[in-house]
Amino acid sequence: MMDKVSLYCVSKFLIMINSNMLKRIIFTVLVVFVLSNSYGQRNAIKASALTGNLGLQYERAIGNRFSILGQVGRSRITNSVNDVETRSTGLAYHIEGRYYLSGKKQIMEGWHIGPFYTSINTEGDEGLKTDISSIGATLGHQWVFRSDITLGLALGAGTFDLDSDQNRGILLEGLNFWPLLGINIGYRF
């Protein structure tokens, strides 16, 4: 089991990776999973809202009980300092591994648990930047209907690392964990 120092070191390492390198890694991983032809692999594409990230998800089954999920989306953060509101928008990434607990259901259906990594990079008024990252665990449930429409809910928590040019007034400043709440709807194929 990883202690707080280990999680902190891993999160700092992931933050150090510049965003272009992270984009290339995510793209490469997705291409490998899409083009591979292993047994039991299925795909799902979803519209999703996660804490701080409104975007598009892609989930790929790796066997009957495991899957990997990636999300790229838009993030918008609003801060208020001395009655002056500032807004920042930017790109958000979310990567999650999932282990489905029931072997009796269809692929990518039912209760699931797993680790996640989230990165939110925004730039706002006057070029001020805010970067948030988190590593944690999720618990969720995904329903798959007869027409292969999916509906999913997720709840989780993780570490919280904030790096901002605005040194006060950040809504989440002082928070020691990142709450993860999510809902998605999509299509499995």
Side-chain angles (χ1 to χ4, degrees), residues 27-100:
F27 179 75
T28 303
V29 168
L30 289 177
V31 167
V32 167
F33 283 126
V34 169
L35 296 178
S36 65
N37 230 356
S38 299
Y39 167 77
Q41 293 183 341
R42 301 280 306 248
N43 305 292
I45 191 156
K46 311 168 200 177
S48 176
L50 291 172
T51 307
N53 184 342
L54 182 62
L56 188 63
Q57 275 186 359
Y58 174 76
E59 183 176 4
R60 176 77 172 184
I62 307 169
N64 290 329
R65 297 177 89 174
F66 293 96
S67 73
I68 189 162
L69 178 141
Q71 177 167 329
V72 176
R74 179 186 160 123
S75 183
R76 181 177 175 186
I77 299 172
T78 303
N79 298 313
S80 181
V81 180
N82 299 328
D83 295 328
V84 175
E85 275 195 8
T86 60
R87 291 193 173 106
S88 59
T89 59
L91 206 51
Y93 306 96
H94 177 84
I95 300 170
E96 183 178 332
R98 289 185 171 178
Y99 174 75
Y100 286 88

Side-chain angles (χ1 to χ4, degrees), residues 129-150:
K129 295 181 181 180
T130 300
D131 296 328
I132 298 171
S133 65
S134 177
I135 296 174
T138 62
L139 169 67
H141 194 279
Q142 183 160 275
W143 294 270
V144 178
F145 302 103
R146 289 184 185 170
S147 59
D148 281 326
I149 298 295
T150 65

Side-chain angles (χ1 to χ4, degrees), residues 151-167:
L151 175 64
L153 299 172
L155 175 67
T159 62
F160 180 73
D161 185 37
L162 173 68
D163 182 19
S164 179
D165 293 340
Q166 298 180 10
N167 55 6

